[in-house]
Amino acid sequence: MAQQITLADLAGNSAVKPAAPALADPDAASLVPTAAQAQADAALTPDQQIAKLPPEAQAQVAQMAGAIDFTKQGIESSYGKDVQRATSTFADEILSDTRSKDTGEAGELLATMLTTIDEAELGGFRKLPIIGQVAVSIDKLRRRYQKVDAQIDEIVSKLETAQARLVADIAMYNTMYDQNAQQYRELKMTVLAGKKALADFNANQLPALEAEAAKSGDPMQAQVLKDFKSKLDRFAKRIDDLDRIGVVTLQTAPQIKIIQNADQTIVDKIDTTISTTIPVWKSQMVIALGLSNQRKALDLQNKADDITNKLLTKNAAALHQGAVDAEKANQRSVVEIETLEKINSELISTLKETVQIQKEGKANRAAAEVKMRQLESDLKQALIDNAQAL
C-alpha cells in the first residue's frame, strides 16, 4: 500500500523510494497490439491495459509503479530516462554502422562485371566508326578473352569479399532487431507503470491533499498544492513523450528488416552471378572461338558477301530505329498531360488540407478561449472562497 502523503511532505524533500527493478522479457506479442486492439486499448484504464499482460509482466509493472515517488525532486523529467538514453544510444549505433560501410559497393561490382561481359564483343565482330563491322581474327578474339577473363577474376575476388561483409551485416541486423524489440518492451512497461502510478495517486491520495488544503484555509498551502498538481501534469507529459518514443522504436523494426532483406538480395545475386553467369559466359566464349576456327576454312568471297549483307542489314535497322526514335522525341509534348494532372491533384489536395487546418485551428482557438474563461472564473471563485474562509 502506498505511503500517505501530506502537504508538509510536498513542501519538503521526502525520502526517495528504491529504484525501479530491472525489466524482464515478456512475450513481444503481449506488448504489440494489432490495429483493432490498439483502438480498443486507447479507451482502457492503465489497470485494464496491465491486466492484458502475462502475470509476470503484470507483477513487474505493479512493482515499478509502486517504486515511483511523486514527491521526489525532478521525477517529472527524470522518469524513464535510462530507457530513453538506451534508445538514443541504440539509434546512434545504427547510424554509425550505416555510415561505416559502403552499401553500394557490391551493387557497383555486379554492374561492372555485367558491363565488362556485355562489352567483350564475343560474337567475332568488332564495331568501328564509319567502316561498320569487320571480322576479327581468332588471335585477336583469344587475346580479348584473356584480357576480359583476368578482369572478371579480379571482380569475382572483390565480390566474394563484399559478400562476406554483407553476410556479417545481416547477422548484425539480427542483433539490432532483437535489441530494438527489447527496448520497445521496456518502454511499454515503463509507460504502463507511470500511467498506473499516476492514476492511483490521482484517485487515492490527491483528493486527501485537496481536502487538507481546503481545510487549512492557508493560501500558501493552496499554492503548494497547485505547484504539485503542475508537477503531476508534467509527469503525464513525460509519460506521453516516452509513449511516442516507443512508437518510433516500433517503427524502427521494419526498417531494420528492409535493410537486411536488401543485403540478402545482393548476397543471393552474387551467388547467382558467380555460379551461373560466369560459367555460361566462358562456355559461350569456347563456342565463339570454335566458330572462328571454322570461319577460317570458308571462301574469302563468301565471307566478304556475308559481311556486306550483315553491314547493310545492321545499317538499315539502325536507320529505322534512329528515325523512329527521332520522330517519337519530336512528337512528345514538353509537358505531358499526366504531369499536369498530377500537379492539379496535388494543388487541389493542398488547398483542401490548408482549409481543413485553418478550420481546426479556429476551432481549437475557440475551445481554448472558452477553457481560459472557465479557468479565470474558477480561479476567481477559489480566491473569493479562500478570502471568505479566512
Side-chain angles (χ1 to χ4, degrees):
M1 182 176 179
Q3 179 182 1
Q4 188 64 37
I5 298 175
T6 65
L7 291 176
D9 295 327
L10 302 184
N13 293 321
S14 66
V16 178
K17 292 186 178 180
L23 294 176
D25 189 9
D27 182 14
S30 65
L31 293 175
V32 183
T34 64
Q37 290 172 339
Q39 186 174 5
D41 288 348
L44 298 179
T45 65
D47 284 337
Q48 290 173 329
Q49 296 181 38
I50 295 171
K52 300 177 69 174
L53 300 177
E56 180 183 357
Q58 292 183 35
Q60 191 163 22
V61 171
Q63 185 179 2
M64 292 168 60
I68 297 175
D69 181 3
F70 288 110
T71 65
K72 178 182 176 182
Q73 184 69 26
I75 184 67
E76 69 276 19
S77 59
S78 63
Y79 180 71
K81 183 165 292 185
D82 291 341
V83 180
Q84 184 181 16
R85 186 181 296 111
T87 302
S88 176
T89 301
F90 173 73
D92 291 340
E93 290 176 357
I94 294 180
L95 290 175
S96 177
D97 288 332
T98 302
R99 286 194 298 263
S100 64
K101 69 170 185 172
D102 183 2
T103 55
E105 179 184 3
E108 292 175 1
L109 287 171
L110 281 171
T112 301
M113 171 178 286
L114 297 178
T115 300
T116 302
I117 293 176
D118 185 54
E119 295 179 351
E121 301 169 1
L122 303 181
F125 294 91
R126 180 179 58 193
K127 295 181 180 180
L128 296 174
I130 302 177
I131 298 178
Q133 291 182 341
V134 297
V136 178
S137 70
I138 182 124
D139 291 336
K140 290 183 179 179
L141 187 61
R142 185 178 291 108
R143 287 196 298 270
R144 185 179 305 122
Y145 164 74
Q146 293 171 348
K147 178 180 179 181
V148 174
D149 188 49
Q151 294 174 353
I152 295 301
D153 288 342
E154 182 180 357
I155 295 175
V156 167
S157 178
K158 292 180 180 179
L159 274 174
E160 290 174 342
T161 301
Q163 185 184 37
R165 286 198 296 268
L166 287 172
V167 170
D169 288 344
I170 292 171
M172 174 193 68
Y173 285 128
N174 281 332
T175 301
M176 285 185 173
Y177 186 86
D178 293 340
Q179 291 177 352
N180 185 72
Q182 175 62 19
Q183 288 172 357
Y184 173 74
R185 290 188 287 264
E186 291 180 358
L187 279 168
K188 292 299 292 183
M189 295 181 70
T190 300
V191 169
L192 286 176
K195 287 182 177 180
K196 174 177 173 56
L198 185 60
D200 290 347
F201 187 89
N202 287 336
N204 301 324
Q205 298 203 47
L206 188 59
L209 292 174
E210 292 174 336
E212 182 183 352
K215 181 179 179 180
S216 69
D218 185 356
M220 296 305 297
Q221 295 292 326
Q223 184 63 46
V224 169
L225 179 60
K226 179 179 180 300
D227 292 342
F228 184 68
K229 286 184 176 181
S230 297
K231 181 178 183 178
L232 295 180
D233 289 338
R234 292 194 298 274
F235 183 84
K237 176 61 170 60
R238 175 67 178 171
I239 294 299
D240 181 72
D241 290 342
L242 292 174
D243 201 3
R244 293 171 189 266
I245 295 173
V247 174
V248 174
T249 303
L250 181 61
Q251 292 172 340
T252 302
Q255 295 171 0
I256 293 175
K257 286 300 181 182
I258 289 173
I259 298 173
Q260 186 182 45
N261 290 336
D263 283 356
Q264 185 62 56
T265 298
I266 297 177
V267 169
D268 295 341
K269 177 60 69 176
I270 291 175
D271 281 335
T272 300
T273 301
I274 294 177
S275 62
T276 303
T277 303
I278 295 176
V280 169
W281 168 71
K282 291 185 177 181
S283 297
Q284 292 302 309
M285 172 54 69
V286 172
I287 295 174
L289 291 172
L291 292 175
S292 296
N293 284 323
Q294 292 178 9
R295 281 197 297 271
K296 292 180 66 176
L298 297 177
D299 181 77
L300 180 60
Q301 183 59 48
N302 289 335
K303 184 185 296 184
D305 291 343
D306 291 342
I307 294 174
T308 300
N309 283 301
K310 289 181 180 180
L311 176 62
L312 293 174
T313 301
K314 294 290 185 180
N315 285 342
L319 178 62
H320 171 77
Q321 188 62 46
V324 170
D325 292 342
E327 187 59 27
K328 287 182 179 179
N330 186 50
Q331 293 299 325
R332 181 180 179 184
S333 301
V334 175
V335 180
E336 297 178 348
I337 190 62
E338 291 80 2
T339 302
L340 295 177
E341 290 176 345
K342 178 66 175 177
I343 294 174
N344 200 56
S345 175
E346 292 291 342
L347 182 57
I348 292 174
S349 177
T350 300
L351 293 174
K352 289 181 178 181
E353 291 183 13
T354 301
V355 171
Q356 182 61 31
I357 292 172
Q358 291 174 348
K359 289 181 178 180
E360 293 176 356
K362 183 177 180 181
N364 290 336
R365 289 192 299 273
E369 183 176 358
V370 171
K371 189 65 177 178
M372 286 188 292
R373 300 291 81 78
Q374 182 62 46
L375 293 175
E376 288 178 351
S377 176
D378 293 345
L379 181 58
K380 290 177 180 179
Q381 185 61 46
L383 294 174
I384 292 173
D385 293 342
N386 286 340
Q388 293 176 350
L390 294 177

